[in-house]
Amino acid sequence: MSCYLRHMKDVLNEADLHPEDKKERKEVDLAIRNVVGMKADDKCNVVWKEVKTWLHDEDKKKQLTAELKAD
């Protein structure tokens, strides 16, 4: 399961995503991986490293939020 979702509350709230259980968290995790170009079998810490670069770039952060909202 994702090791980084707890650090993304602001993005998830903005995208109106509120995963409640393990299945929903996995779906959100896979959606995030898809947006940032990572594979489902990539290790969580590798994915989190990429996600952090997106979160620190305002344009990429907006893109991530928009794509998660549209999904």
Side-chain angles (χ1 to χ4, degrees):
M1 192 50 57
S2 172
C3 62
Y4 57 84
L5 287 182
R6 67 181 178 268
H7 300 293
M8 297 185 62
K9 288 183 182 181
D10 59 333
V11 171
L12 295 178
N13 284 334
E14 199 169 321
D16 199 28
L17 293 173
H18 310 284
E20 297 288 326
D21 58 24
K22 188 175 182 177
K23 181 180 182 265
E24 290 176 356
R25 286 190 298 274
K26 185 63 178 174
E27 289 171 0
V28 171
D29 173 47
L30 292 174
I32 292 168
R33 288 169 184 257
N34 185 48
V35 172
V36 301
M38 303 299 287
K39 294 182 229 156
D41 59 349
D42 287 331
K43 293 190 183 248
C44 186
N45 61 329
V46 175
V47 176
W48 175 229
K49 186 176 181 179
E50 180 64 21
V51 170
K52 279 195 289 189
T53 66
W54 281 63
L55 296 177
H56 286 74
D57 179 315
E58 205 52 46
D59 290 332
K60 284 186 172 186
K61 184 177 179 180
K62 287 178 186 174
Q63 179 186 348
L64 175 62
T65 303
E67 290 192 38
L68 289 175
K69 189 181 264 189
D71 213 6

Coordinates of all heavy atoms in Angstrom, one line a residue:
M1 N 0.8 -1.2 0.0 CA 0.0 0.0 0.0 C 0.9 1.2 0.0 O 2.0 1.2 0.4 CB -0.9 0.0 1.2 CG -2.0 1.0 1.2 SD -3.0 1.1 -0.3 CE -3.6 -0.6 -0.4
S2 N 0.3 2.3 -0.4 CA 1.0 3.6 -0.5 C 1.6 4.1 0.8 O 0.9 4.2 1.8 CB 0.1 4.6 -1.2 OG 0.8 5.8 -1.1
C3 N 2.8 4.5 0.8 CA 3.5 5.0 2.0 C 3.3 6.5 2.0 O 3.8 7.1 3.0 CB 4.9 4.6 2.0 SG 5.9 5.2 0.6
Y4 N 2.8 7.1 1.0 CA 2.8 8.6 0.9 C 1.5 9.3 0.9 O 1.4 10.5 1.0 CB 3.6 9.0 -0.4 CG 3.0 8.4 -1.6 CD1 1.9 9.0 -2.3 CD2 3.4 7.2 -2.2 CE1 1.3 8.5 -3.4 CE2 2.9 6.7 -3.3 CZ 1.8 7.3 -3.9 OH 1.2 6.8 -5.0
L5 N 0.4 8.6 0.8 CA -0.9 9.2 0.8 C -1.2 10.1 1.9 O -1.8 11.2 1.8 CB -2.1 8.2 0.6 CG -2.2 7.5 -0.7 CD1 -3.4 6.5 -0.7 CD2 -2.3 8.4 -1.8
R6 N -0.7 9.8 3.1 CA -1.0 10.6 4.3 C -0.3 12.0 4.1 O -0.7 12.9 4.8 CB -0.5 9.9 5.5 CG 1.0 9.7 5.6 CD 1.4 9.0 6.9 NE 2.8 8.7 6.9 CZ 3.5 7.7 6.5 NH1 2.8 6.7 5.9 NH2 4.8 7.5 6.6
H7 N 0.7 12.1 3.2 CA 1.4 13.4 3.0 C 0.7 14.2 2.0 O 1.1 15.3 1.7 CB 2.8 13.1 2.6 CG 3.6 12.4 3.6 ND1 3.9 12.9 4.9 CD2 4.1 11.1 3.6 CE1 4.6 12.0 5.5 NE2 4.8 10.9 4.8
M8 N -0.3 13.7 1.4 CA -1.0 14.4 0.2 C -2.4 14.8 0.5 O -3.2 15.0 -0.4 CB -1.0 13.4 -1.0 CG 0.4 13.0 -1.5 SD 0.3 12.1 -2.9 CE -0.4 13.2 -4.1
K9 N -2.7 15.0 1.8 CA -4.1 15.4 2.1 C -4.6 16.6 1.4 O -5.7 16.7 1.0 CB -4.2 15.5 3.7 CG -4.1 14.2 4.4 CD -4.3 14.4 5.8 CE -4.1 13.0 6.4 NZ -4.3 12.9 7.8
D10 N -3.7 17.6 1.3 CA -4.2 18.9 0.6 C -4.6 18.6 -0.9 O -5.6 19.1 -1.4 CB -3.2 20.0 0.7 CG -1.8 19.6 0.1 OD1 -1.5 18.5 0.1 OD2 -1.1 20.6 -0.3
V11 N -3.7 17.8 -1.6 CA -4.0 17.5 -3.0 C -5.2 16.6 -3.1 O -6.1 16.9 -3.9 CB -2.8 16.8 -3.6 CG1 -3.1 16.3 -5.0 CG2 -1.6 17.7 -3.7
L12 N -5.4 15.6 -2.2 CA -6.5 14.8 -2.3 C -7.8 15.5 -1.9 O -8.8 15.3 -2.6 CB -6.3 13.6 -1.3 CG -5.2 12.6 -1.7 CD1 -5.1 11.5 -0.6 CD2 -5.3 12.0 -3.1
N13 N -7.7 16.4 -1.0 CA -8.9 17.2 -0.6 C -9.3 18.1 -1.8 O -10.5 18.2 -2.1 CB -8.7 18.0 0.6 CG -8.8 17.2 1.9 OD1 -9.4 16.2 1.9 ND2 -8.1 17.7 2.9
E14 N -8.3 18.7 -2.4 CA -8.6 19.6 -3.6 C -9.2 18.8 -4.7 O -10.0 19.3 -5.5 CB -7.3 20.3 -4.0 CG -7.6 21.5 -4.8 CD -6.3 22.3 -5.0 OE1 -5.5 22.5 -4.1 OE2 -6.1 22.9 -6.1
A15 N -8.8 17.6 -4.9 CA -9.3 16.7 -6.0 C -10.6 16.0 -5.5 O -11.2 15.2 -6.3 CB -8.3 15.6 -6.4
D16 N -11.0 16.3 -4.3 CA -12.3 15.7 -3.8 C -12.2 14.2 -3.7 O -13.1 13.5 -4.0 CB -13.5 16.2 -4.5 CG -14.8 16.0 -3.7 OD1 -14.7 16.1 -2.5 OD2 -15.8 15.8 -4.3
L17 N -11.0 13.7 -3.3 CA -10.8 12.3 -3.1 C -10.6 12.1 -1.6 O -9.8 12.7 -0.9 CB -9.6 11.8 -3.8 CG -9.7 11.8 -5.3 CD1 -8.3 11.5 -6.0 CD2 -10.8 10.9 -5.8
H18 N -11.4 11.1 -1.0 CA -11.3 10.8 0.4 C -11.3 9.3 0.6 O -12.4 8.7 1.0 CB -12.5 11.5 1.1 CG -12.7 12.9 0.8 ND1 -11.8 13.9 1.3 CD2 -13.5 13.6 0.0 CE1 -12.2 15.1 0.9 NE2 -13.2 14.9 0.0
P19 N -10.2 8.7 0.2 CA -10.2 7.2 0.3 C -10.4 6.7 1.8 O -9.7 7.2 2.7 CB -8.8 6.8 -0.2 CG -8.0 8.0 0.0 CD -8.9 9.2 -0.2
E20 N -11.4 5.8 2.0 CA -11.7 5.4 3.3 C -11.1 4.0 3.7 O -10.7 3.8 4.8 CB -13.2 5.3 3.4 CG -14.0 6.6 3.3 CD -13.8 7.5 4.4 OE1 -13.7 7.0 5.6 OE2 -13.7 8.7 4.2
D21 N -11.0 3.1 2.7 CA -10.6 1.8 3.0 C -9.4 1.4 2.1 O -8.9 2.2 1.3 CB -11.7 0.8 2.9 CG -12.3 0.7 1.5 OD1 -11.7 1.1 0.5 OD2 -13.5 0.3 1.4
K22 N -8.9 0.2 2.3 CA -7.7 -0.2 1.6 C -7.9 -0.2 0.1 O -7.0 0.2 -0.6 CB -7.3 -1.6 2.1 CG -6.0 -2.2 1.6 CD -5.7 -3.5 2.2 CE -4.4 -4.0 1.8 NZ -4.0 -5.3 2.4
K23 N -9.1 -0.7 -0.3 CA -9.4 -0.7 -1.8 C -9.3 0.7 -2.4 O -8.7 0.9 -3.4 CB -10.7 -1.4 -2.0 CG -11.1 -1.5 -3.4 CD -12.5 -2.2 -3.6 CE -12.8 -2.4 -5.0 NZ -13.7 -1.3 -5.5
E24 N -10.0 1.6 -1.7 CA -10.0 3.0 -2.2 C -8.6 3.6 -2.2 O -8.3 4.4 -3.2 CB -11.0 3.8 -1.4 CG -12.4 3.5 -1.6 CD -13.4 4.2 -0.8 OE1 -12.9 5.0 0.1 OE2 -14.6 4.0 -0.9
R25 N -7.8 3.4 -1.2 CA -6.5 3.9 -1.1 C -5.6 3.3 -2.3 O -4.8 4.1 -2.9 CB -5.8 3.6 0.2 CG -6.4 4.5 1.3 CD -5.6 4.4 2.6 NE -5.6 3.1 3.2 CZ -6.5 2.6 4.0 NH1 -7.5 3.3 4.4 NH2 -6.4 1.4 4.5
K26 N -5.8 2.1 -2.6 CA -5.1 1.4 -3.7 C -5.5 2.1 -5.0 O -4.6 2.3 -5.8 CB -5.3 -0.1 -3.7 CG -4.5 -0.8 -4.7 CD -3.0 -0.7 -4.4 CE -2.2 -1.5 -5.4 NZ -0.7 -1.2 -5.2
E27 N -6.7 2.3 -5.2 CA -7.2 3.0 -6.4 C -6.6 4.4 -6.6 O -6.1 4.7 -7.7 CB -8.7 3.0 -6.4 CG -9.4 1.7 -6.6 CD -10.9 1.8 -6.4 OE1 -11.5 2.9 -6.2 OE2 -11.5 0.7 -6.6
V28 N -6.5 5.1 -5.5 CA -5.9 6.5 -5.5 C -4.5 6.3 -5.8 O -3.9 7.1 -6.6 CB -6.2 7.2 -4.2 CG1 -5.4 8.5 -4.2 CG2 -7.7 7.5 -4.1
D29 N -3.8 5.4 -5.1 CA -2.4 5.2 -5.3 C -2.1 4.9 -6.8 O -1.2 5.5 -7.4 CB -1.9 4.0 -4.5 CG -0.5 3.6 -4.7 OD1 0.4 4.4 -4.8 OD2 -0.2 2.4 -4.9
L30 N -2.9 4.0 -7.4 CA -2.6 3.6 -8.8 C -2.9 4.8 -9.7 O -2.2 5.0 -10.7 CB -3.5 2.4 -9.2 CG -3.1 1.1 -8.6 CD1 -4.2 0.0 -8.9 CD2 -1.7 0.7 -9.0
A31 N -3.9 5.6 -9.4 CA -4.2 6.8 -10.2 C -3.0 7.8 -10.1 O -2.6 8.4 -11.2 CB -5.5 7.5 -9.7
I32 N -2.5 8.0 -8.9 CA -1.3 8.9 -8.8 C -0.1 8.4 -9.5 O 0.6 9.1 -10.3 CB -1.0 9.1 -7.3 CG1 -2.1 9.8 -6.6 CG2 0.4 9.8 -7.1 CD1 -2.0 9.8 -5.1
R33 N 0.1 7.1 -9.4 CA 1.3 6.5 -10.2 C 1.1 6.7 -11.7 O 2.1 7.0 -12.4 CB 1.4 5.0 -9.9 CG 1.8 4.7 -8.5 CD 1.7 3.2 -8.1 NE 2.0 2.9 -6.8 CZ 3.2 2.4 -6.4 NH1 4.1 2.0 -7.3 NH2 3.5 2.1 -5.1
N34 N -0.1 6.6 -12.2 CA -0.4 6.7 -13.6 C -0.1 8.2 -14.0 O 0.6 8.4 -15.0 CB -1.8 6.4 -13.9 CG -2.2 6.4 -15.3 OD1 -1.4 5.9 -16.2 ND2 -3.2 7.1 -15.7
V35 N -0.5 9.1 -13.2 CA -0.3 10.6 -13.5 C 1.2 10.9 -13.6 O 1.6 11.6 -14.5 CB -1.1 11.5 -12.6 CG1 -0.7 12.9 -12.8 CG2 -2.6 11.3 -12.7
V36 N 1.9 10.4 -12.6 CA 3.4 10.8 -12.5 C 4.3 9.9 -13.3 O 5.5 10.0 -13.3 CB 3.8 10.9 -11.1 CG1 3.0 11.9 -10.3 CG2 3.9 9.6 -10.4
G37 N 3.7 8.9 -14.0 CA 4.4 8.1 -14.9 C 5.2 6.9 -14.3 O 6.2 6.5 -14.8
M38 N 4.7 6.4 -13.2 CA 5.3 5.3 -12.5 C 4.4 4.1 -12.7 O 3.2 4.2 -13.0 CB 5.4 5.6 -11.0 CG 6.2 6.9 -10.6 SD 7.9 6.9 -11.2 CE 8.6 5.7 -10.0
K39 N 5.1 2.9 -12.5 CA 4.4 1.6 -12.7 C 3.8 1.1 -11.4 O 4.2 1.5 -10.3 CB 5.3 0.6 -13.3 CG 5.8 0.9 -14.6 CD 6.7 -0.2 -15.1 CE 8.0 0.4 -15.7 NZ 9.1 -0.4 -15.6
A40 N 2.8 0.3 -11.5 CA 2.1 -0.3 -10.3 C 3.1 -1.1 -9.4 O 2.9 -1.1 -8.2 CB 1.0 -1.2 -10.7
D41 N 4.1 -1.7 -10.0 CA 5.1 -2.5 -9.2 C 6.3 -1.7 -8.8 O 7.2 -2.3 -8.2 CB 5.4 -3.7 -10.0 CG 6.1 -3.5 -11.3 OD1 6.1 -2.3 -11.8 OD2 6.6 -4.4 -11.9
D42 N 6.4 -0.4 -9.1 CA 7.5 0.4 -8.5 C 7.4 0.5 -7.0 O 6.3 0.6 -6.5 CB 7.5 1.8 -9.1 CG 7.9 1.8 -10.6 OD1 8.7 1.0 -11.0 OD2 7.4 2.7 -11.3
K43 N 8.5 0.5 -6.3 CA 8.5 0.6 -4.9 C 7.9 1.9 -4.4 O 8.1 3.0 -5.1 CB 9.9 0.4 -4.3 CG 10.4 -1.0 -4.6 CD 11.7 -1.2 -3.8 CE 12.2 -2.6 -4.1 NZ 12.1 -3.5 -3.0
C44 N 7.3 1.9 -3.3 CA 6.6 3.1 -2.8 C 7.5 4.3 -2.6 O 7.2 5.4 -3.0 CB 5.9 2.7 -1.5 SG 4.9 4.1 -0.8
N45 N 8.7 4.0 -2.1 CA 9.7 5.1 -1.8 C 10.1 5.8 -3.1 O 10.4 7.0 -3.2 CB 10.8 4.7 -1.0 CG 11.7 3.6 -1.6 OD1 11.2 2.8 -2.3 ND2 12.9 3.6 -1.3
V46 N 10.2 5.0 -4.2 CA 10.6 5.5 -5.5 C 9.5 6.4 -6.1 O 9.7 7.5 -6.6 CB 10.9 4.4 -6.5 CG1 11.2 4.9 -7.9 CG2 12.1 3.6 -6.0
V47 N 8.2 5.9 -5.9 CA 7.1 6.7 -6.4 C 7.0 8.0 -5.5 O 6.8 9.1 -6.1 CB 5.8 5.9 -6.2 CG1 4.6 6.7 -6.6 CG2 5.9 4.6 -7.1
W48 N 7.1 7.9 -4.2 CA 7.0 9.1 -3.4 C 8.1 10.1 -3.8 O 7.8 11.3 -3.8 CB 7.2 8.7 -1.9 CG 7.2 9.9 -1.0 CD1 8.1 10.0 0.0 CD2 6.3 11.0 -0.9 NE1 7.8 11.2 0.7 CE2 6.7 11.8 0.2 CE3 5.2 11.3 -1.6 CZ2 6.0 13.0 0.5 CZ3 4.5 12.5 -1.3 CH2 4.9 13.3 -0.2
K49 N 9.3 9.7 -4.1 CA 10.3 10.6 -4.6 C 9.9 11.4 -5.8 O 10.0 12.6 -5.9 CB 11.6 9.9 -4.9 CG 12.8 10.7 -5.2 CD 14.0 9.9 -5.3 CE 15.2 10.8 -5.6 NZ 16.5 10.0 -5.8
E50 N 9.2 10.7 -6.8 CA 8.7 11.4 -8.0 C 7.6 12.3 -7.6 O 7.5 13.4 -8.1 CB 8.3 10.3 -9.0 CG 7.8 10.9 -10.3 CD 8.8 11.7 -11.1 OE1 10.0 11.6 -10.9 OE2 8.4 12.6 -11.9
V51 N 6.6 11.8 -6.8 CA 5.5 12.6 -6.4 C 5.9 13.9 -5.7 O 5.4 15.0 -6.0 CB 4.5 11.8 -5.5 CG1 3.4 12.7 -4.9 CG2 3.9 10.6 -6.3
K52 N 6.9 13.8 -4.9 CA 7.4 15.0 -4.2 C 7.9 16.1 -5.2 O 7.7 17.3 -5.0 CB 8.6 14.7 -3.2 CG 8.1 14.2 -1.9 CD 9.2 14.2 -0.9 CE 10.2 13.1 -1.1 NZ 11.2 13.0 0.0
T53 N 8.6 15.6 -6.3 CA 9.0 16.6 -7.3 C 7.8 17.3 -7.9 O 7.8 18.5 -8.2 CB 9.9 16.0 -8.4 OG1 9.2 15.0 -9.2 CG2 11.1 15.3 -7.8
W54 N 6.7 16.5 -8.1 CA 5.5 17.1 -8.7 C 4.9 18.1 -7.7 O 4.4 19.1 -8.1 CB 4.5 16.0 -9.0 CG 4.8 15.3 -10.3 CD1 5.9 14.6 -10.6 CD2 4.0 15.3 -11.5 NE1 5.8 14.1 -11.9 CE2 4.6 14.5 -12.4 CE3 2.7 15.8 -11.8 CZ2 4.1 14.3 -13.7 CZ3 2.2 15.6 -13.0 CH2 2.9 14.8 -14.0
L55 N 4.9 17.8 -6.4 CA 4.3 18.6 -5.4 C 5.1 19.9 -5.2 O 4.5 20.9 -4.8 CB 4.2 17.9 -4.1 CG 3.3 16.7 -4.1 CD1 3.3 16.0 -2.7 CD2 1.8 17.0 -4.5
H56 N 6.4 19.9 -5.5 CA 7.2 21.1 -5.4 C 7.2 22.0 -6.6 O 7.6 23.1 -6.5 CB 8.6 20.7 -5.0 CG 8.8 20.2 -3.6 ND1 8.4 19.0 -3.2 CD2 9.3 20.8 -2.5 CE1 8.6 18.9 -1.9 NE2 9.2 20.0 -1.5
D57 N 6.6 21.5 -7.7 CA 6.4 22.3 -8.9 C 4.9 22.7 -9.0 O 4.1 21.8 -9.2 CB 6.9 21.5 -10.1 CG 6.7 22.2 -11.4 OD1 5.7 22.8 -11.7 OD2 7.7 22.1 -12.2
E58 N 4.6 24.0 -8.9 CA 3.2 24.4 -8.8 C 2.4 24.0 -10.0 O 1.3 23.6 -9.9 CB 3.2 25.9 -8.6 CG 1.9 26.4 -7.9 CD 1.6 25.7 -6.6 OE1 2.5 25.5 -5.8 OE2 0.4 25.3 -6.5
D59 N 3.0 24.0 -11.2 CA 2.3 23.6 -12.4 C 2.0 22.1 -12.4 O 0.9 21.7 -12.8 CB 3.0 24.0 -13.7 CG 3.1 25.5 -13.9 OD1 2.1 26.2 -13.5 OD2 4.0 26.0 -14.6
K60 N 3.0 21.3 -12.0 CA 2.8 19.9 -12.0 C 1.8 19.5 -10.9 O 1.0 18.6 -11.1 CB 4.1 19.2 -11.8 CG 5.0 19.1 -13.0 CD 6.2 18.3 -12.8 CE 7.0 18.1 -14.1 NZ 8.1 17.1 -13.9
K61 N 1.9 20.2 -9.8 CA 0.9 20.0 -8.7 C -0.5 20.2 -9.2 O -1.4 19.4 -8.9 CB 1.2 20.8 -7.5 CG 0.4 20.6 -6.3 CD 0.8 21.4 -5.1 CE 0.0 21.2 -3.9 NZ 0.4 22.0 -2.8
K62 N -0.7 21.3 -9.9 CA -2.1 21.6 -10.5 C -2.5 20.5 -11.4 O -3.6 20.1 -11.5 CB -2.1 23.0 -11.1 CG -2.0 24.1 -10.2 CD -2.0 25.5 -10.9 CE -1.8 26.6 -9.9 NZ -1.6 27.9 -10.5
Q63 N -1.5 20.1 -12.3 CA -1.8 19.0 -13.2 C -2.2 17.7 -12.5 O -3.2 17.1 -12.9 CB -0.6 18.8 -14.1 CG -0.8 17.6 -15.2 CD 0.4 17.3 -15.9 OE1 1.4 18.0 -15.9 NE2 0.4 16.2 -16.7
L64 N -1.5 17.4 -11.5 CA -1.8 16.2 -10.7 C -3.1 16.3 -10.1 O -4.0 15.4 -10.2 CB -0.7 16.0 -9.6 CG -0.9 14.9 -8.6 CD1 -0.9 13.5 -9.3 CD2 0.2 14.9 -7.5
T65 N -3.4 17.4 -9.5 CA -4.8 17.6 -8.9 C -5.9 17.5 -9.9 O -6.9 16.8 -9.7 CB -4.8 18.9 -8.1 OG1 -3.7 19.0 -7.2 CG2 -6.1 19.1 -7.4
A66 N -5.7 18.2 -11.0 CA -6.7 18.2 -12.1 C -6.9 16.8 -12.6 O -8.1 16.4 -12.9 CB -6.3 19.1 -13.2
E67 N -5.9 16.0 -12.9 CA -6.0 14.7 -13.4 C -6.7 13.7 -12.4 O -7.4 12.9 -12.8 CB -4.7 14.1 -13.9 CG -4.2 14.9 -15.2 CD -3.1 14.2 -15.9 OE1 -3.0 13.0 -15.9 OE2 -2.2 15.0 -16.4
L68 N -6.3 13.9 -11.2 CA -7.0 13.0 -10.1 C -8.5 13.4 -10.0 O -9.3 12.5 -9.8 CB -6.3 13.2 -8.8 CG -4.9 12.6 -8.7 CD1 -4.3 13.0 -7.3 CD2 -4.9 11.1 -8.9
K69 N -8.8 14.7 -10.1 CA -10.2 15.1 -10.0 C -11.0 14.6 -11.2 O -12.1 14.2 -11.1 CB -10.2 16.6 -10.0 CG -11.6 17.2 -9.7 CD -11.6 18.7 -9.7 CE -11.4 19.2 -8.3 NZ -11.6 20.7 -8.2
A70 N -10.4 14.5 -12.4 CA -11.0 14.1 -13.6 C -11.2 12.6 -13.6 O -12.1 12.1 -14.3 CB -10.3 14.5 -14.8
D71 N -10.4 11.9 -12.9 CA -10.4 10.4 -13.0 C -11.6 9.8 -12.3 O -12.3 10.1 -11.5 CB -9.1 9.9 -12.3 CG -8.6 8.6 -12.9 OD1 -9.2 8.2 -14.0 OD2 -7.7 8.0 -12.4

